[in-house]
Amino acid sequence: MSAESEPMEATATAEVDEKLYSRQLYVMGHEAQRRMMASRVLLIGVSGLGVEIAKNCILAGVSAITLCDPEAPNSFDLGGNFYLSEGDIGQSTRAEICKDKLAELNQ
């Protein structure tokens, strides 16, 4: 999961973890969850809204997310992107900084 991510193994025939996805299964059903688990997402922009979307996609069980954001974090990002800290300002890119922290949601 990153700009150069390794996709998680998931196919439309994969077994759904009913304990992990119980709320979604209640609303969407097994087939929709299997399709979500086989989906891949391209997310352009990892500012405050983008990182929230990435988090929700990961927790929903999508197969892989590719983050694309070439901008370096600035002080304005600290108010909206909860994965950035003051030490990240001007360092690398928002996508690079957030990818490892977002990947932890998948474990």
Side-chain angles (χ1 to χ4, degrees):
M1 181 199 104
S2 72
E4 307 297 323
S5 68
E6 296 277 329
M8 295 180 295
E9 292 299 318
T11 63
T13 59
E15 203 55 41
V16 177
D17 183 347
E18 292 190 12
K19 229 176 168 183
L20 183 60
Y21 300 115
S22 62
R23 292 180 190 170
Q24 290 167 226
L25 291 172
Y26 180 73
V27 174
M28 301 183 322
H30 279 48
E31 181 59 28
Q33 183 62 39
R34 279 192 291 274
R35 287 181 182 193
M36 181 154 342
M37 291 170 61
S39 298
R40 296 170 186 240
V41 174
L42 169 62
L43 183 63
I44 300 174
V46 191
S47 59
L49 178 60
V51 77
E52 183 69 22
I53 291 169
K55 175 191 70 108
N56 290 338
C57 286
I58 291 166
L59 294 176
V62 298
S63 173
I65 296 182
T66 300
L67 303 175
C68 179
D69 192 337
E71 297 293 320
N74 58 50
S75 59
F76 297 110
D77 291 322
L78 299 179
N81 187 327
F82 44 87
Y83 286 122
L84 297 176
S85 65
E86 285 186 30
D88 296 326
I89 294 175
Q91 305 293 317
S92 191
T93 66
R94 290 187 291 214
E96 270 302 311
I97 293 167
C98 293
K99 76 172 183 173
D100 292 332
K101 295 172 184 172
L102 287 166
E104 290 175 10
L105 296 172
N106 228 3
Q107 298 175 6

